[in-house]
Amino acid sequence: MPNASTTSPKAYPAVSRVRGGSGSSAHLAAPRNNGTSTSLGPPMTGAIGVAMSGPSNPNGPGGFSSSLRSTTTTLTTPHTLVNDFNPLSPVSSEALVEELTDQLNKAIKYKEGAENLLQVLDSKKVKEAKRARNEAEKEYNERNREITQLQSQIAAITKPRETPILPRVIETLLDLPNQPPASNGGGSDVSETESPTVSLTDVLRDLEEKGNRNEFYISRANQLVLLFKRHPNLKYELNWETFGHRLHSLLLHESKDVIAAGYRVTRAALTDLQSLKTTRRLHIDHLAVLSLVSRSTVEREQALKFVRAFLEIPGGVGEISREVVRAIVACAEQVDDRLRGIAMETLAEMLVLDPELVVSAGGVRVLTQVLGEGPWEIADSLSLAFLYLLDMPDTRKYVRAGHDLEIVFSTFTDSSTLGPKTHSDEERLRSAAKVISSMLKSWSGLLCLSMFEMRSLRSLVDSLRIPSSGVRDVILELFFDIFRIKPPSWSTTFLAGRRLTTYGRVANLKNDESSRKPGKQDNSSQGNLVKHYTSLLLAVFFDAGLLEVLTSIVEDNSDPTIVRKTTLLLGEVLKLASQLLPSNYSARMQLLPGLFSSASKFGLDGRFSASAAVYQIDSLNRTLHRSLSASTPHRIALEEEKRGQRQVELKLKLNMTIDDRHFSNLIVDTGVLNTKSYIKWNWDALNEIIQGPLLNPKRLEEAIKVTKFMKRLLSFYRPFKYRFSEIKNTKPNQRYVKTGCALFRTLLQTSQGVLFLAEHKILRQIAECLAQLDKMSGIVSPEPLFSAHRLTDTLSRGYFSMLGTLSSDAKGLAMMERWRMFNMFYHISDLQDRPDLLELFVSTMDFSLEGHPRIILSKALTTGPKSVRLFATNHLRNLTSPDDPDKVATVRSNETAEWAIRLLITQLYDPDVEVCETAVRILEEACNTTHSLEYVVKCRPALDHLGEIGAPLLLRFLSTSVGYHYLNELDYIHREMDDWFHGRNDSYVLAVEASLARAFADDEPVKKGVNTMDRDMLGTVPPHFYRELARTSEGCKLLREKGHFEDFARFIQQFGQEHADPEIVTKIKGCLWAVGNIGSMPLGAPFLDEADIVGPIIMIAETSQVLTLKGTAFFVLGLIAKTMQGLEILLEHGWDGSTSTMGETLGFCVPIDLRRLLSVEPWQHTRDETSETNRPSILSRILGEDPVDSDIIGAIANLSNHIKESQATKDLLKLKAAHITHFASPELYRRVMVLLESYRYRLQMRRFIIELFDKSVVEHLVREGQAEPIGSPMSPEVEHQHHQQQQSNVSMS
């Protein structure tokens, strides 16, 4: 199962890279005293604006945040002034938004709690609950205000803000350089109208001047960066000979801030691989090595950004020298280094792009230590680099089998019996669990961790035996995550130790909106890859002894909370096993022989805990079964429909048998006749009487004419009585809206009710409220009843729901026309500042009847703003997809669906792409029903203008003969078939792997407004042309004529064991998916037997050296297992598939012997820099003939040994005092640089060595362009031979 780390080398940097602002820093504007970097923020105007501008890339090549935590460090100026005018950096603003979002989520939960409390208090007597209700309402109002405030703060941060202009006083306080006027000819300002070439010449001429203040050079450097940003083509016209001299003047300056500005200019000028080679010829990479050990954070930060810019350019990593990587490794090894985090991530990116370079520089050792020791903030992302290397044999050799990945398990196995003692220990355990989880969600991680008889996985399972509640709790949570188990809503009650007495109400639990949506009918043939992978994880951990360990914890009653959590996990695992695994696994595991054996031993004291565990598991399983059945949307719909029919029948019988006295008592029980206070009314009794006896015309007439019941009840709902319309919009108060809609529905059932409602003032007043919004009505109100905040805060929006009830009946539509409501809705739909009204109208109206509502919806779909068009398009899904797919469609529902389909086809031509995509998705979902599919084809929509967006809908047409013939007339099938055969199969591989990677990214938050249907589709097999083609006999005939299946099978058989060429591996994956999709169809299964292709696919799954290719073959075998014919072929080859209780195939299969699939042979590890072949230079070649130089080099060599570094430091200081001229020798300096490149030195030692030499040496080497240093890197073979010849002379102290 490929994830983000196993798709392409570009995948890792996209995941792990921590970006900063524009790639620039405001601290370049002036010298700093404290040495800390400022936040990276958006560009600003004025002097500081130039300083903070970046290159053409918004983040700048190599842009990043120098801190792991999203913190903002400000300039050394008064705090309030800086905060007022310095905008937040992207990193800090993201952190602030996350914090505010957390606070918002908490406030929403508090608000929901207050709503639930109000709902409970409403069922009690008024006097008893008055005080509690007041407190609950107060809490609700406070939380509502808090939510509004937090939402406004988040909106203020996230919306694009205008760049503030700093007042002059702030520029003075920030010590910004004064800009000379442009008339001086100094070229200080980059004019928009001036020729960019002239501006470039002026700025370069200014940089040539000597003796100016540091701020002058920084300002010109920032102007140069801004110039490159505005005119990117200017970088290609640079004369690097002249430009290089200007860069040297900046990079060799005395001021650290000027040097940092020089790196920014260099980074902004980089364009392609040739520019990188030019910078190397200018020795700028050598200067970066010196800057990386500088004492200035500003300089080090910009130097590291410069190095990271190499990674942004294709092939740029090949231009990074080993000495640069050594310097980055030294930064990563320093625990208290501020740049440690980004240095580690830089090494990880290099490891993906050029593993040999990082291995030879000793970077793998540092990254491995992160997995075992932290920092845990980046351990998860760094593990992706190792998982990527493990995929192919050519890169797998750089990772030590059984060590580099397994080191993270030591966090659990090394835990003491007492478990975590502090909060940091617990965080360490949870972070390690997160890393293990990400490993087990990739094919590379699972297969490599299963090596050596599943040693690592068995150690994780056995860690549950540690008698520590903290360790056990974290590991149990890890297994919940690995198996993708979402605990049921009642799990909190169960874990708290309370009895499961509420399981009967499980059917009434609130389900997610996505679960209510009807699923696609072809889900069985589509395939759920995530569930298939989970079935393999279950089988692996069953073999690792998970059930036995869980059973032993259940028998151990030392910690009741852990026992209950283990029991819940055990029940969920057994439920999953029964659903996903073949019968030979699930039947064996469901017995729990060890637990029953302990419970049946009557002579032992442990029998009681085992018996209690058996009882608890049984009770839990029964509850899980009920919740599973009740959570099925189809079952819920059927149960609610049947229940509703029974209730209607019961009420009709009561209407026929109820007498006058009983009816009078029911009216009195409501409390409406006793008081006008709606709080004192019995609303449950009101609902009962409205939906029951009042459906009888005689009782309704009595309620209207004999008593004041109906008059007082409708008076409560009149808008200008300000009773219903002023009630707070809370969850408990929605019952008033439901009762009002039920009242309108009841009145529409009889002629007396229609007459009473038509003459009542309520409709006239609702029309007047709408007229307040209609500018052409002449009615004006300073505070309309349907204003935006009233619709949000009060129940006034409930009037739209009542009008929606009226729109479901022809008599109700006539009433609305009588009061000219639709005229006002037409005018309101033209209001550009009130899209909420149109959205509310669309969401509440009934469109099953011909009339004005349909016309207004059509107008909203075509002329409304984008948000309204998108909302209305999404609403059409409710009209095209039936709530119950098995329910017999009526003529009216079919007519409504056809009308909605016509509107959706119109939306395919919307100018906004997002609206078109939404319409395509809804039409694709509607095509699951045969009637809708045939009607869509009948409409003959033109989808050529949509390109790839409309492709899924066209594929749906292929599933029926009608659609096949329609597409054949358009010559679509032959063109698309050739397109898929010659290239689309390869892109399909990337689509599947990206879908899997997103499906396993569980921590990714669901953004507001994102279509939940798209999220539900993650981890499933995307639509495939050949699968849709194999649905019909015509498609299979064409497939046989073309011979594509035979070509795919032949390619798989010929190149199935390829492991070196990534392009061929991708083509194999594409052919596998094509074969699997064809074989998953009943009409396509015979192709498998004819080509005899299942055996070669199984061979790939069991013996391929490419781990993701093994995973692809495993998923394809699952597709083949979707048909009975395919399942029989798999059984012949030793693979078993799972079936339902009715004998239907589920599409999940695992080998009977798991070792066949998990077979990964250990590989030969390529050693790191400690190996002789990886050292670019031998010490004896560097010593030279001068005895003083030899002593200096020998002492420097001793600095790499932490035992001898103290004495070596003293020796070097003595040598410098006695022979200071030697430390000004360029020849000796080059030899020392070769030594630093060859061996490992701590950051302090590297800094000490470089500071021994005079800076003039560096300037001489850079400016004079000396020849390459001696001991330049040579091939490992030549290096080893030279070492053999001079082995007697090698003396490493």
Side-chain angles (χ1 to χ4, degrees):
M1 190 271 325
N3 61 6
S5 67
T6 58
T7 53
S8 67
K10 288 292 183 184
Y12 176 77
V15 173
S16 65
R17 183 169 299 124
V18 179
R19 294 295 182 101
S22 62
S24 57
S25 298
H27 53 60
L28 300 183
R32 303 278 306 283
N33 295 326
N34 58 356
T36 59
S37 69
T38 64
S39 62
L40 309 178
M44 300 171 61
T45 57
I48 194 171
V50 180
M52 296 185 67
S53 301
S56 58
N57 183 355
N59 293 312
F64 68 95
S65 170
S66 59
S67 174
L68 282 177
R69 296 185 176 86
S70 300
T71 57
T72 306
T73 54
T74 57
L75 295 169
T76 53
T77 53
H79 181 69
T80 56
L81 290 173
V82 176
N83 284 346
D84 287 341
F85 295 99
N86 188 20
L88 290 173
S89 69
V91 177
S92 61
S93 61
E94 290 176 4
L96 184 57
V97 168
E98 289 182 4
E99 182 179 353
L100 292 175
T101 304
D102 292 339
Q103 296 179 12
L104 178 62
N105 293 335
K106 292 179 182 178
I108 291 175
K109 290 181 180 179
Y110 282 126
K111 174 186 173 183
E112 292 177 351
E115 288 181 348
N116 295 334
L117 180 58
L118 286 172
Q119 193 170 7
V120 172
L121 294 175
D122 284 340
S123 62
K124 298 183 178 180
K125 294 184 179 179
V126 179
K127 294 183 179 179
E128 296 177 357
K130 183 175 181 180
R131 181 177 178 183
R133 183 181 291 106
N134 291 337
E135 293 180 357
E137 289 180 352
K138 181 179 179 182
E139 176 72 16
Y140 173 82
N141 294 332
E142 289 179 356
R143 296 302 175 184
N144 219 6
R145 284 193 295 270
E146 183 181 358
I147 291 172
T148 304
Q149 182 179 3
L150 290 171
Q151 288 174 342
S152 61
Q153 290 179 4
I154 294 175
I157 296 174
T158 55
K159 71 178 182 180
R161 61 175 72 190
E162 296 182 358
T163 307
I165 301 177
L166 292 181
R168 182 64 186 172
V169 62
I170 300 301
E171 293 186 4
T172 305
L173 288 172
L174 294 178
D175 193 22
L176 296 178
N178 294 326
Q179 299 288 350
S183 58
N184 293 348
S188 59
D189 293 329
V190 180
S191 174
E192 292 284 353
T193 58
E194 190 179 16
S195 170
T197 306
V198 175
S199 301
L200 176 64
T201 304
D202 293 342
V203 175
L204 292 179
R205 185 177 61 249
D206 290 346
L207 290 176
E208 191 177 6
E209 299 178 3
K210 298 184 180 298
N212 290 311
R213 294 176 58 194
N214 298 338
E215 293 81 356
F216 176 84
Y217 296 112
I218 293 173
S219 173
R220 297 306 179 271
N222 290 331
Q223 291 173 20
L224 197 56
V225 171
L226 183 61
L227 191 64
F228 288 147
K229 181 179 180 181
R230 291 178 179 174
H231 308 282
N233 293 332
L234 199 61
K235 295 184 282 189
Y236 296 93
E237 303 173 3
L238 285 175
N239 182 352
W240 275 92
E241 183 178 355
T242 304
F243 186 66
H245 289 301
R246 303 298 182 272
L247 293 180
H248 284 163
S249 65
L250 292 174
L251 296 174
L252 295 173
H253 199 273
E254 295 294 333
S255 172
K256 301 298 183 182
D257 290 335
V258 175
I259 296 175
Y263 283 119
R264 287 191 61 239
V265 173
T266 309
R267 181 158 49 90
L270 297 178
T271 54
D272 51 16
L273 196 60
Q274 186 59 39
S275 62
L276 298 182
K277 294 180 179 179
T278 305
T279 57
R280 288 202 65 182
R281 287 198 299 269
L282 294 172
H283 300 286
I284 296 179
D285 59 331
H286 176 70
L287 293 175
V289 174
L290 307 183
S291 296
L292 285 172
V293 299
S294 173
R295 299 183 185 275
S296 170
T297 307
V298 176
E299 181 182 356
R300 297 179 63 216
E301 181 181 315
Q302 292 299 323
L304 190 52
K305 284 185 179 181
F306 166 71
V307 175
R308 288 177 60 85
F310 282 60
L311 305 179
E312 299 288 342
I313 297 175
V317 68
E319 296 300 321
I320 300 178
S321 61
R322 198 191 314 267
E323 61 176 346
V324 173
V325 183
R326 281 282 188 185
I328 297 176
V329 170
C331 296
E333 288 178 329
Q334 191 67 24
V335 177
D336 57 349
D337 194 344
R338 186 183 174 196
L339 299 182
R340 186 191 183 201
I342 194 61
M344 289 178 176
E345 295 192 356
T346 304
L347 288 175
E349 295 178 31
M350 291 181 182
L351 184 64
V352 171
L353 299 174
D354 191 353
E356 186 176 359
L357 175 64
V358 179
V359 167
S360 63
V364 175
R365 181 190 65 255
V366 181
L367 298 179
T368 306
Q369 290 174 352
V370 175
L371 295 181
E373 302 173 4
W376 298 106
E377 296 90 344
I378 58 174
D380 187 20
S381 59
L382 294 189
S383 65
L384 300 180
F386 288 97
L387 294 176
Y388 171 77
L389 294 182
L390 288 170
D391 184 30
M392 303 285 287
D394 292 342
T395 55
R396 195 180 304 151
K397 61 184 179 181
Y398 298 111
V399 182
R400 286 177 289 182
H403 179 273
D404 287 348
L405 283 188
E406 286 79 351
I407 191 173
V408 71
F409 289 87
S410 63
T411 309
F412 296 100
T413 56
D414 292 345
S415 299
S416 63
T417 55
L418 298 178
K421 300 178 181 179
T422 62
H423 178 70
S424 60
D425 292 339
E426 184 179 353
E427 287 298 320
R428 180 168 172 262
L429 289 174
R430 295 192 180 279
S431 300
K434 186 178 179 182
V435 175
I436 294 174
S437 175
S438 65
M439 289 180 180
L440 290 175
K441 290 176 182 177
S442 70
W443 281 110
S444 303
L446 175 61
L447 294 176
C448 290
L449 293 177
S450 301
M451 294 174 62
F452 308 110
E453 299 295 329
M454 294 190 286
R455 180 179 62 192
S456 302
L457 302 182
R458 292 183 189 276
S459 68
L460 177 65
V461 171
D462 290 337
S463 297
L464 283 171
R465 300 184 186 274
I466 299 176
S468 167
S469 299
V471 175
R472 287 179 172 178
D473 182 64
V474 173
I475 298 179
L476 291 175
E477 290 288 346
L478 171 61
F479 282 119
F480 274 104
D481 181 42
I482 291 173
F483 298 136
R484 304 181 65 82
I485 298 173
K486 295 181 179 179
S489 57
W490 45 262
S491 61
T492 306
T493 303
F494 174 72
L495 294 177
R498 296 191 288 272
R499 290 173 60 86
L500 290 176
T501 56
T502 59
Y503 58 79
R505 302 182 222 159
V506 174
N508 299 324
L509 296 175
K510 180 181 179 182
N511 294 307
D512 295 335
E513 291 182 4
S514 57
S515 65
R516 296 197 199 102
K517 302 271 177 78
K520 290 193 175 184
Q521 288 184 351
D522 67 335
N523 269 349
S524 58
S525 62
Q526 192 170 16
N528 192 316
L529 303 181
V530 174
K531 287 186 177 180
H532 194 192
Y533 187 78
T534 304
S535 68
L536 177 61
L537 284 174
L538 280 171
V540 168
F541 277 100
F542 281 174
D543 280 9
L546 177 62
L547 284 184
E548 291 79 1
V549 176
L550 293 180
T551 304
S552 65
I553 297 177
V554 169
E555 295 178 9
D556 176 22
N557 206 13
S558 58
D559 189 341
T561 304
I562 294 298
V563 170
R564 285 190 291 268
K565 197 166 191 174
T566 306
T567 305
L568 180 61
L569 176 62
L570 191 57
E572 292 278 5
V573 165
L574 293 177
K575 183 186 73 174
L576 272 180
S578 65
Q579 295 172 354
L580 304 180
L581 288 178
S583 56
N584 65 332
Y585 271 99
S586 57
R588 184 175 76 250
M589 298 304 171
Q590 297 287 343
L591 296 177
L592 296 177
L595 189 61
F596 278 92
S597 175
S598 300
S600 60
K601 294 179 180 179
F602 294 94
L604 300 178
D605 295 336
R607 178 181 69 85
F608 298 103
S609 59
S611 302
V614 171
Y615 169 76
Q616 207 168 33
I617 292 175
D618 177 62
S619 174
L620 189 65
N621 280 334
R622 284 188 279 109
T623 308
L624 286 173
H625 177 70
R626 297 193 183 201
S627 63
L628 177 65
S629 343
S631 62
T632 306
H634 177 56
R635 177 182 284 260
I636 290 178
L638 291 179
E639 290 182 353
E640 289 183 351
E641 182 181 359
K642 293 178 181 178
R643 191 184 306 112
Q645 291 176 354
R646 289 195 299 267
Q647 290 176 352
V648 170
E649 293 174 358
L650 180 60
K651 290 175 182 176
L652 289 176
K653 291 180 181 179
L654 288 174
N655 293 338
M656 301 301 294
T657 58
I658 193 172
D659 56 8
D660 294 341
R661 176 183 290 273
H662 190 188
F663 179 69
S664 300
N665 291 337
L666 285 176
I667 289 183
V668 171
D669 290 342
T670 61
V672 176
L673 300 179
N674 299 331
T675 177
K676 292 184 178 181
S677 175
Y678 68 91
I679 298 179
K680 298 181 180 179
W681 293 352
N682 187 341
W683 287 92
D684 293 333
L686 268 174
N687 278 322
E688 182 181 348
I689 197 173
I690 288 173
Q691 300 181 31
L694 290 184
L695 291 173
N696 189 331
K698 177 182 177 183
R699 299 303 178 193
L700 179 61
E701 183 179 4
E702 182 180 346
I704 294 174
K705 296 182 178 180
V706 178
T707 66
K708 294 183 178 181
F709 177 79
M710 291 300 298
K711 180 181 178 182
R712 185 168 289 180
L713 185 57
L714 272 182
S715 177
F716 162 73
Y717 284 102
R718 281 168 54 185
F720 296 134
K721 287 287 186 177
Y722 296 106
R723 300 171 68 191
F724 170 80
S725 58
E726 289 297 318
I727 298 177
K728 295 288 185 182
N729 183 20
T730 62
K731 184 179 177 181
N733 291 342
Q734 293 301 316
R735 59 178 180 170
Y736 303 131
V737 180
K738 295 178 182 178
T739 303
C741 294
L743 180 60
F744 275 40
R745 193 176 299 109
T746 298
L747 292 175
L748 290 174
Q749 302 303 314
T750 60
S751 57
Q752 295 93 333
V754 171
L755 182 62
F756 176 72
L757 183 60
E759 299 299 331
H760 199 270
K761 294 180 180 180
I762 184 171
L763 294 182
R764 184 175 63 190
Q765 292 189 5
I766 293 176
E768 186 175 345
C769 293
L770 291 173
Q772 294 175 354
L773 304 173
D774 184 5
K775 296 180 180 179
M776 302 180 66
S777 66
I779 300 177
V780 181
S781 174
E783 186 63 30
L785 197 69
F786 292 152
S787 62
H789 78 273
R790 279 179 176 268
L791 289 178
T792 303
D793 300 337
T794 67
L795 291 184
S796 56
R797 66 187 297 117
Y799 290 114
F800 283 82
S801 301
M802 298 176 194
L803 293 179
T805 303
L806 289 180
S807 65
S808 64
D809 191 280
K811 299 183 286 293
L813 289 174
M815 294 181 198
M816 296 176 68
E817 290 180 7
R818 175 189 175 190
W819 295 107
R820 313 219 184 278
M821 292 186 187
F822 292 117
N823 290 355
M824 290 176 278
F825 275 124
Y826 282 118
H827 297 154
I828 291 172
S829 64
D830 295 328
L831 298 177
Q832 296 296 323
D833 58 338
R834 291 299 304 276
D836 58 315
L837 291 172
L838 205 49
E839 292 177 3
L840 192 56
F841 176 87
V842 170
S843 62
T844 54
M845 288 296 140
D846 188 286
F847 301 100
S848 58
L849 296 177
E850 284 282 356
H852 293 285
R854 287 190 175 187
I855 300 175
I856 296 175
L857 176 58
S858 178
K859 180 181 178 183
L861 287 167
T862 53
T863 63
K866 176 189 173 182
S867 60
V868 174
R869 300 200 312 272
L870 195 59
F871 180 87
T873 305
N874 279 310
H875 183 73
L876 290 177
R877 178 183 286 110
N878 303 327
L879 305 178
T880 57
S881 302
D883 296 333
D884 182 10
D886 295 336
K887 184 179 179 181
V888 178
T890 62
V891 176
R892 183 173 176 180
S893 62
N894 284 338
E895 190 275 331
T896 303
E898 292 176 0
W899 169 76
I901 288 173
R902 293 196 298 272
L903 292 181
L904 285 170
I905 292 176
T906 305
Q907 293 306 97
L908 296 176
Y909 310 100
D910 192 275
D912 191 89
V913 178
E914 187 177 359
V915 177
C916 297
E917 289 178 346
T918 305
V920 168
R921 285 196 297 264
I922 299 174
L923 283 173
E924 185 186 358
E925 183 181 347
C927 287
N928 291 325
T929 58
T930 305
H931 173 80
S932 298
L933 175 58
E934 293 176 351
Y935 188 78
V936 173
V937 175
K938 181 181 177 181
C939 293
R940 303 177 70 88
L943 301 174
D944 295 341
H945 65 288
L946 294 178
E948 291 297 323
I949 298 176
L953 184 57
L954 291 174
L955 290 181
R956 293 294 299 155
F957 291 175
L958 284 175
S959 59
T960 61
S961 297
V962 177
Y964 177 87
H965 291 296
Y966 165 63
L967 294 178
N968 196 28
E969 293 175 6
L970 300 177
D971 196 26
Y972 167 81
I973 297 178
H974 291 277
R975 288 187 289 106
E976 193 73 5
M977 197 170 187
D978 293 338
D979 190 18
W980 276 81
F981 185 77
H982 291 104
R984 290 279 291 280
N985 272 332
D986 298 343
S987 59
Y988 182 84
V989 173
L990 300 179
V992 175
E993 294 181 350
S995 174
L996 280 169
R998 290 183 59 196
F1000 280 104
D1002 294 334
D1003 53 350
E1004 181 181 344
V1006 181
K1007 296 182 179 178
K1008 186 177 181 181
V1010 174
N1011 200 316
T1012 56
M1013 185 178 66
D1014 294 343
R1015 191 171 183 86
D1016 293 339
M1017 295 298 293
L1018 295 178
T1020 59
V1021 182
H1024 197 286
F1025 174 81
Y1026 287 102
R1027 183 176 74 219
E1028 304 301 328
L1029 195 65
R1031 289 179 184 271
T1032 59
S1033 57
E1034 295 90 345
C1036 290
K1037 181 181 178 181
L1038 177 63
L1039 189 60
R1040 199 177 299 276
E1041 292 174 356
K1042 287 276 189 178
H1044 285 186
F1045 189 90
E1046 290 76 10
D1047 293 338
F1048 293 145
R1050 194 178 306 113
F1051 191 86
I1052 292 172
Q1053 292 170 348
Q1054 184 175 356
F1055 298 100
Q1057 298 301 320
E1058 175 65 34
H1059 59 81
D1061 191 342
E1063 292 186 4
I1064 295 180
V1065 171
T1066 302
K1067 289 186 179 297
I1068 296 172
K1069 291 179 181 178
C1071 293
L1072 285 173
W1073 284 116
V1075 169
N1077 277 285
I1078 294 173
S1080 65
M1081 293 289 104
L1083 295 178
F1087 286 92
L1088 300 172
D1089 214 359
E1090 295 172 6
D1092 194 19
I1093 190 59
V1094 178
I1097 295 177
I1098 292 178
M1099 183 68 65
I1100 293 175
E1102 295 177 353
T1103 63
S1104 176
Q1105 297 185 48
V1106 182
L1107 303 187
T1108 53
L1109 187 57
K1110 288 170 69 77
T1112 302
F1114 174 78
F1115 287 137
V1116 169
L1117 292 174
L1119 292 178
I1120 294 174
K1122 286 184 174 297
T1123 62
M1124 291 304 300
Q1125 185 174 349
L1127 194 58
E1128 292 173 0
I1129 299 175
L1130 289 174
L1131 282 172
E1132 295 174 0
H1133 289 83
W1135 284 60
D1136 195 4
S1138 56
T1139 57
S1140 65
T1141 54
M1142 303 299 294
E1144 299 174 350
T1145 59
L1146 300 177
F1148 308 128
C1149 65
V1150 292
I1152 298 176
D1153 183 5
L1154 270 181
R1155 290 175 295 181
R1156 295 171 56 186
L1157 177 64
L1158 302 178
S1159 59
V1160 179
E1161 294 296 328
W1163 56 88
Q1164 186 66 31
H1165 172 59
T1166 299
R1167 302 183 64 187
D1168 55 12
E1169 88 282 7
T1170 58
S1171 121
E1172 297 171 355
T1173 57
N1174 277 335
R1175 288 178 178 166
S1177 297
I1178 304 301
L1179 183 60
S1180 58
R1181 298 171 51 203
I1182 305 176
L1183 292 176
E1185 299 178 357
D1186 192 322
V1188 177
D1189 289 354
S1190 299
D1191 292 342
I1192 293 174
I1193 292 176
I1196 291 177
N1198 286 338
L1199 290 177
S1200 64
N1201 189 332
H1202 69 279
I1203 299 176
K1204 298 182 177 182
E1205 67 178 20
S1206 177
Q1207 183 61 41
T1209 303
K1210 297 177 182 179
D1211 294 343
L1212 283 172
L1213 292 176
K1214 292 178 181 179
L1215 287 170
K1216 183 175 182 180
H1219 308 281
I1220 192 170
T1221 56
H1222 286 260
F1223 290 90
S1225 168
E1227 185 72 18
L1228 179 62
Y1229 179 79
R1230 287 199 299 271
R1231 296 174 184 271
V1232 171
M1233 288 298 103
V1234 173
L1235 200 62
L1236 290 179
E1237 178 186 355
S1238 305
Y1239 300 100
R1240 172 179 174 265
Y1241 289 88
R1242 294 189 300 115
L1243 183 63
Q1244 293 88 342
M1245 292 299 102
R1246 297 178 70 90
R1247 183 179 297 149
F1248 171 74
I1249 293 169
I1250 291 174
E1251 290 178 349
L1252 287 174
F1253 290 87
D1254 191 82
K1255 191 173 182 180
S1256 60
V1257 180
V1258 180
E1259 185 174 351
H1260 172 77
L1261 290 176
V1262 173
R1263 290 194 182 276
E1264 297 300 325
Q1266 295 291 330
E1268 289 295 327
I1270 62 171
S1272 57
M1274 59 178 67
S1275 66
E1277 293 80 7
V1278 176
E1279 193 71 44
H1280 185 63
Q1281 292 175 5
H1282 191 84
H1283 171 65
Q1284 295 280 346
Q1285 297 171 1
Q1286 300 190 5
Q1287 186 175 7
S1288 58
N1289 299 326
V1290 174
S1291 173
M1292 279 294 293
S1293 300

